[in-house]
Each structure stands twice: as structure tokens, then as C-alpha cells.
Amino acid sequence: ADVRAAEGRLRGRLHRTPLLTSGGLDRLAGRRLLFKCELFQRTGSFKIRGALNAVRSLVEESERAGGGLPRAVVTHSSGNHGQALACAAQAEGIPAYIVVPWTAPRCKQAAIRAYGATLVPCEPSDKSRAETAARIIQETGGVMVHPNQELAVIAGQGTIALEVLEQAPEVNAVVVPVGGGGMTAGIAVAIKALRPDVKVFAAEPRNADDCYQSKVRGELTPNLHPPDTIADAVKTSIGPNTWPIIRDLVDDVLTVSEEEIKRATRLVWERMKLLIEPTAGVGVAAVLSEQFQAVPRDVENVCIVLCGGNVDLSSLTWLTDLSGKAE
């Protein structure tokens, strides 16, 4: 119901992104792949769905209460949610303060500033992100819009699943990159409510495998140290609101190596001409992995969410370090 409400709130404010296909990648995977192109979404990633739903919900709430707009919105983000919240807040005339790890891609930091938000740098750890955001909230009297634990954000991301089910009713599985788990949880809730037969797989870097560890142990197990991965948008750990949903509704968590992520990203650039960021390559890598071969053959139509395209083109040195061809 929350996802449906989000769909109504977002109507006319977002792009309905296309589902694209690639014969070459189908052959590599041995299945029919459907790519949900959230890299074409406003602000360059799916994050605008949750951010806009959250900001619109806040505005509606204050209108109902007869008060003014929120004094400010505050969040911490590796970049994409920050851009999205800055954009959503700017549209409503609300100041935004975005806490960003200093290691975040320059292009994401620049975009946040371009949407008129105030950027506050922090250390690249979940702890520093949370502490800095708490300080800014005290200073500004703003409202926290958490990048992945806020329920309105989770519901907004779930609208991806509603579109996929309409665009490709034949889908058998959806593969979603997981960081904090907002998109994974939102998609899982919507899919399992409407089409419980459709499998939901989360995909994450082996170097940041908190979701996998949590699933194996049956309890929330965050990354102990800031992970080192090319997939900068999924360095953060799943949290208390996304974990129960992932625990109960996600069918499996697939992990992939840095090499696999880089190859998959490059493959999509070369074959599909889609400029995805490496985090979107995580889902592609998962479907091309050995692990995925174990998924039953009747899971034939697989949708992969290409979550974003905010690539730092100045940091592409890793391309030249790739051994051998993309084959």
C-alpha cells in the first residue's frame, strides 16, 4: 500500500525508465536478461524515487498539520541519495544539508552543490556519517531523511518493481544491488505482494558482504570496517529497517569479486553503450557469475536493475588494470 501511495505521489515527476535487452549478454548468461535503466532516471539514479516520496510526504504532513515547510532536510550519502534529496528539496524550496564522505566521487559531490544543497564532508565510515548528520540536525533544526532506512524512501524505491511488473509480466527474477538495502527492501515488498512466484536476489561486492553475512547468520551483521570496493554506492551496510524485509523476502544474496564487477561494468559500456556506474555492474556481474548458474533453468527472464550512471570519468584508471579481454 505504501508503494502504491508512493507511485501516486511520484506520478508525472519522474521518468518511467526503459527495460532494455542485449543478445550478447543473454548468450553470456544463458538466459533472457532485462535491464531496468535507472541510470536514465532524474539525477542519474533510482534514488530520486525515494527522496521525492520522502520530501513530498513531509510537505503533505506539514500542510495537514497547518504548519510551514520543514526548516531543512538533512541526510548522509555516498552521493546518489544526496543528489536526489538536494533535487527534491530544491523543487519544494527547502534547504538541504548533505553529509558526504570525502572519498565520494567528485562528480557526485559537484552535482549535490549544483542542486543548491550545502555539502558537509565526513570520514568514510557509517559511524562518522551518522554522527556528522546528527550534529547538522541539531544545528539546523532540520529533518533527517535517511538514505535507506526511512520508510518513505524504501516505499519510493519499491515503485521500480511496479514498473518492471507492468513492462515485463513474464519476469521470473529481479536482481538488485544492495548497500543499505532501501531499493532491495522496497522492491522485495512490492514483488512478493503482487507476484510471490518472482524471485528477488540481492547482489553485493564480496568486499562489502554484510547483507550476505547477515542472511547466512540470521542476524544483522554490519561491515566492521569501511569496505574497499569499486562499487562506491554500496559501501554502506543494511540497517534495522531494511534487514527484516531482506531476511524474510529476499530469496538469496549473491556476492561478486572486484574483478567481476569491473568486467561486467565494462561489458555493459561496450556492448550496450550504457554508461553505468560500477555499482550497477554488481547486479550484472552476479547474473554472469558461476553462482548464478546454480539458479534453476526455469528462472529464464531475469531483470537486472541498472541502479545508476553517475560515473566519475576522471577516475577510470581501473580500466587499464583489467587483465585480458571482457570475454
Side-chain angles (χ1 to χ4, degrees):
D2 290 345
V3 181
R4 283 281 180 219
E7 185 183 34
R9 238 178 243 119
L10 300 178
R11 194 164 286 127
R13 295 168 187 271
L14 289 185
H15 304 312
R16 182 187 173 96
T17 56
L19 266 190
L20 299 182
T21 56
S22 161
L25 285 169
D26 284 1
R27 282 191 290 281
L28 285 176
R31 305 176 197 257
R32 181 162 170 264
L33 307 181
L34 305 156
F35 295 88
K36 180 63 170 160
C37 292
E38 287 293 292
L39 72 161
F40 296 154
Q41 191 48 272
R42 289 183 61 198
T43 70
S45 92
F46 73 92
K47 292 280 190 181
I48 188 68
R49 296 173 183 266
L52 204 49
N53 189 48
V55 170
R56 287 300 307 160
S57 302
L58 283 173
V59 170
E60 286 168 18
E61 250 168 67
S62 32
E63 282 170 358
R64 273 199 302 275
L69 290 173
R71 212 175 283 172
V73 287
V74 181
T75 197
H76 51 75
S77 163
S78 62
N80 284 342
H81 173 71
Q83 279 168 249
L85 188 67
C87 174
Q90 187 180 51
E92 298 294 340
I94 303 169
Y97 294 84
I98 316 293
V99 175
V100 181
W102 61 267
T103 53
R106 293 279 167 267
C107 63
K108 295 186 181 184
Q109 297 189 35
I112 289 168
R113 292 199 179 91
Y115 287 117
T118 304
L119 195 140
V120 185
C122 73
E123 288 303 308
S125 71
D126 285 346
K127 185 169 176 283
S128 171
R129 283 167 57 143
E131 285 171 1
T132 311
R135 191 188 83 229
I136 300 294
I137 286 170
Q138 277 202 305
E139 289 171 12
T140 60
V143 182
M144 178 70 182
V145 179
H146 195 283
N148 46 59
Q149 300 304 302
E150 171 66 51
L151 296 178
V153 168
I154 295 172
Q157 321 307 27
T159 58
I160 296 169
L162 302 182
E163 290 178 18
V164 168
L165 291 177
E166 281 175 19
Q167 289 168 306
E170 72 278 16
V171 71
N172 306 121
V174 183
V175 178
V176 193
V178 61
M183 171 168 56
T184 304
I187 286 177
V189 164
I191 294 268
K192 296 301 183 182
L194 297 168
R195 288 278 307 277
D197 58 303
V198 174
K199 299 250 183 280
V200 178
F201 296 105
E204 72 181 342
R206 207 155 290 146
N207 287 3
D209 67 347
D210 61 290
C211 185
Y212 174 76
Q213 295 297 340
S214 302
K215 202 78 165 140
V216 168
R217 294 172 189 192
E219 62 181 339
L220 184 56
T221 311
N223 293 315
L224 286 176
H225 307 286
D228 180 26
T229 172
I230 184 93
D232 60 272
V234 288
K235 287 181 175 180
T236 184
S237 300
I238 58 174
N241 292 345
T242 50
W243 161 238
I245 299 173
I246 289 169
R247 178 191 64 208
D248 298 341
L249 299 181
V250 168
D251 292 281
D252 205 359
V253 183
L254 311 159
T255 62
V256 288
S257 70
E258 293 301 294
E259 181 82 3
E260 288 176 294
I261 296 167
K262 292 171 181 177
R263 283 171 186 271
T265 301
R266 182 172 175 167
L267 205 54
V268 171
W269 292 352
E270 290 180 346
R271 300 292 177 84
M272 299 187 73
K273 320 301 170 201
L274 297 176
L275 192 66
I276 57 167
E277 57 187 276
T279 302
V282 173
V284 183
V287 171
L288 297 176
S289 69
E290 288 278 292
Q291 252 179 310
F292 206 79
Q293 295 303 314
V295 174
R297 276 297 177 236
D298 58 354
V299 178
E300 189 194 345
N301 301 304
V302 180
C303 173
I304 303 169
V305 182
L306 297 180
C307 48
N310 295 319
V311 188
D312 213 353
L313 291 175
S314 56
S315 71
L316 291 187
T317 45
W318 60 265
L319 258 186
T320 50
D321 306 336
L322 263 183
S323 54
K325 293 193 81 80
E327 276 308 323

